[in-house]
Amino acid sequence: MKKVVVGLSGGVDSSVSAYLLKEQGYEVIGLFMKNWHDDSVTISDECPWLEDSNDALIVAEKLGIPFQTVDLSAVYKKRIVDYMFNEYEKGRTPNPDVLCNREIKFDVFMKIALQLGADYVATGHYCRKGTILDKDGNETHQLLAGVDKNKDQSYFLCQLSQEQLSKTLFPIGELTKTEVREIAAGNGLITADKKDSQGLCFIGKVRLPEFLQQKLQPKKGVIVEVPSTAHHFEDSAPTFDSKRDELAFLSEKKVYAESDGKVVGEHQGAHYFTIGQRKGLDVGGTKEPLFVIETDVEKNIIYTGQGKMHPGLYRQTLFVKEEELHWVRPDLSLQPDETMKVMARIRYRQPLQKATLYKIESGLYVDFEEKQSAITEGQFVAWYLKDELIGSGVIS
């Protein structure tokens, strides 16, 4: 009998995953990850992990499976939280959920599971795994979108490797959220009607500015409004000698100066803000709401523009450095000067967009057919062929 360790989070998705695996005849062990108890950086007044671990324990007892808690808070702080602070300090916006899957769930947690003698680790993600066999019987694993397009979580797993996928099961990938809740209710699982967790992976709701202020000191700076008629947004692009030169030009971030607009307010630190952000600016009196179009953490200036159609929010091309490039399917990876037509997204839940990948020695350009709003440094871009996620990278 194959042994599976399920990451029981205290939510309905992992509860039903454990139930389904038991029904399929696996020997199932429930493991709850405790990732946070650092009182020097409080998250919120609530203590979600206590309630979650209790729910996970009740589910395990109901299913008649062994249950234990593992404390990963030290490694979580080092690999996720410290990384987040460092990235924000540099003016980049990290994605903790993608990192948490790569660094914690499918690395540290998986190693613990394998030490317990598990053949597989299972999670409650809405995605599927496919396996292709070549003529010699060698396996290549595919990361496929979940059947429930509304809940598809393949994006969060965009950094997984072939080795990690080989030892992973996604029991609810073929189901919709409604079906998952029905299975939980039909089997008397306490988590059947529990709300989906929000906020930081395994920590719960986070009020980000307050969270960041505990480590990144507030410092007063100005908010500059850049008009949509500024010279930066003229359509007359120069002529280029090569496609590579054109892509380099299109992927460049616009650089603003205070003289490009007018000062309309003050902020407490440019490193608390991210491109596309609207809340927290506290500037009134504009015809349309202001959105952050760029931050300058060196000079501590936030540049904003009116309305979500402001040209400063849009870019057609982004770049991923070679060292931040990851292929879930290494057999499909591009060599310099090769291209590939794909569907891509730059954030979770964004509908897939048509794009072309252009590989060069130092990395990869992702050139979208249509301009994209709020391409943000530090976030992940993921690309797909049909419903298979084949690669990803950190946006430079």
Side-chain angles (χ1 to χ4, degrees):
M1 190 190 284
K2 296 267 187 187
K3 189 187 282 190
V4 185
V5 167
V6 179
L8 274 186
S9 65
V12 67
D13 299 330
S14 62
S15 305
V16 170
S17 296
Y19 165 78
L20 291 171
L21 289 165
K22 190 157 186 253
E23 287 293 292
Q24 288 160 24
Y26 288 99
E27 182 188 340
V28 181
I29 297 171
L31 215 54
F32 178 83
M33 283 173 263
K34 181 182 174 190
N35 285 337
W36 197 256
H37 57 57
D38 179 357
D39 296 331
S40 72
V41 183
T42 53
I43 304 281
S44 67
D45 302 333
E46 307 139 35
C47 192
W49 73 263
L50 264 177
E51 185 191 324
D52 288 342
S53 69
N54 283 337
D55 288 347
L57 172 61
I58 293 165
V59 165
E61 284 177 346
K62 175 86 180 166
L63 296 175
I65 60 172
F67 175 80
Q68 63 187 77
T69 298
V70 286
D71 188 342
L72 303 180
S73 45
V75 69
Y76 187 93
K77 181 179 181 303
K78 187 176 167 191
R79 290 209 203 174
I80 308 297
V81 179
D82 291 351
Y83 175 86
M84 277 175 69
F85 283 128
N86 291 338
E87 287 286 277
Y88 274 105
E89 206 163 16
K90 290 182 206 155
R92 286 162 51 115
T93 307
N95 187 314
D97 292 295
V98 174
L99 286 167
C100 182
N101 283 317
R102 183 182 80 190
E103 301 287 331
I104 306 296
K105 250 189 196 173
F106 294 91
D107 184 30
V108 181
F109 182 78
M110 183 173 261
K111 282 172 182 156
I112 291 168
L114 297 175
Q115 280 163 7
L116 290 171
D119 298 287
Y120 297 105
V121 162
T123 65
H125 283 102
Y126 286 86
C127 63
R128 295 167 297 142
K129 181 172 108 174
T131 303
I132 305 166
L133 286 177
D134 69 9
K135 59 181 191 311
D136 300 321
N138 299 314
E139 292 183 335
T140 299
H141 301 286
Q142 298 172 289
L143 177 60
L144 303 167
V147 166
D148 188 339
K149 291 289 176 255
N150 226 6
K151 295 295 293 181
D152 168 40
Q153 291 173 310
S154 55
Y155 174 82
F156 290 137
L157 304 173
C158 68
Q159 290 276 294
L160 294 196
S161 66
Q162 282 291 309
E163 192 185 352
Q164 289 166 322
L165 274 174
S166 72
K167 294 182 168 54
T168 302
L169 299 174
F170 303 117
I172 61 169
E174 302 280 350
L175 302 172
T176 65
K177 185 76 184 196
T178 310
E179 289 169 330
V180 166
R181 288 204 183 278
E182 282 167 1
I183 290 169
N187 290 281
L189 301 180
I190 190 176
T191 52
D193 297 320
K194 192 170 175 181
K195 276 206 188 100
D196 287 353
S197 64
Q198 298 293 319
L200 241 169
C201 176
F202 294 129
I203 289 186
K205 203 70 179 147
V206 177
R207 287 187 286 276
L208 204 56
E210 291 154 47
F211 182 56
L212 293 172
Q213 273 169 26
Q214 295 170 83
K215 284 277 198 271
L216 305 179
Q217 293 308 307
K219 51 180 179 181
K220 209 167 268 188
V222 294
I223 299 172
V224 173
E225 185 194 330
V226 179
S228 58
T229 51
H231 66 91
H232 296 275
F233 314 126
E234 291 160 3
D235 277 339
S236 53
T239 51
F240 301 101
D241 295 332
S242 68
K243 185 67 180 175
R244 184 181 287 210
D245 290 346
E246 183 187 355
L247 292 168
F249 174 81
L250 290 172
S251 67
E252 270 173 21
K253 284 172 50 162
K254 295 180 179 75
V255 177
Y256 301 100
E258 207 174 320
S259 56
D260 288 326
K262 59 177 187 198
V263 174
V264 291
E266 282 190 338
H267 61 80
Q268 292 302 310
H271 44 258
Y272 301 142
F273 290 83
T274 185
I275 294 170
Q277 185 172 333
R278 179 181 152 187
K279 292 193 175 113
L281 287 165
D282 294 331
V283 177
T286 55
K287 192 175 164 201
E288 288 193 80
L290 288 182
F291 289 83
V292 176
I293 59 171
E294 195 55 72
T295 61
D296 183 336
V297 290
E298 301 285 308
K299 295 184 177 152
N300 199 29
I301 299 171
I302 292 174
Y303 294 98
T304 62
Q306 274 194 51
K308 56 163 147 331
M309 299 312 292
H310 190 283
L313 277 173
Y314 288 84
R315 218 170 1 136
Q316 189 171 335
T317 311
L318 61 85
F319 186 65
V320 176
K321 290 179 187 153
E322 183 67 27
E323 62 271 20
E324 294 188 314
L325 186 55
H326 172 73
W327 292 91
V328 179
R329 288 283 303 275
D331 56 315
L332 297 177
S333 63
L334 297 177
Q335 299 307 310
D337 297 325
E338 288 184 343
T339 67
M340 184 190 285
K341 288 204 177 310
V342 294
M343 302 297 282
R345 58 168 55 109
I346 53 172
R347 59 182 73 87
Y348 175 54
R349 283 196 179 287
Q350 182 196 25
L352 286 168
Q353 310 286 310
K354 286 183 181 173
T356 306
L357 307 180
Y358 290 86
K359 182 75 179 77
I360 62 172
E361 290 80 5
S362 58
L364 180 93
Y365 288 107
V366 182
D367 185 39
F368 289 94
E369 202 169 275
E370 292 177 10
K371 286 188 174 180
Q372 301 296 307
S373 173
I375 289 176
T376 308
E377 278 182 279
Q379 292 279 301
F380 287 86
V381 55
W383 47 92
Y384 295 70
L385 291 176
K386 294 186 177 151
D387 63 349
E388 180 183 1
L389 193 160
I390 62 163
S392 67
V394 181
I395 299 169
S396 293

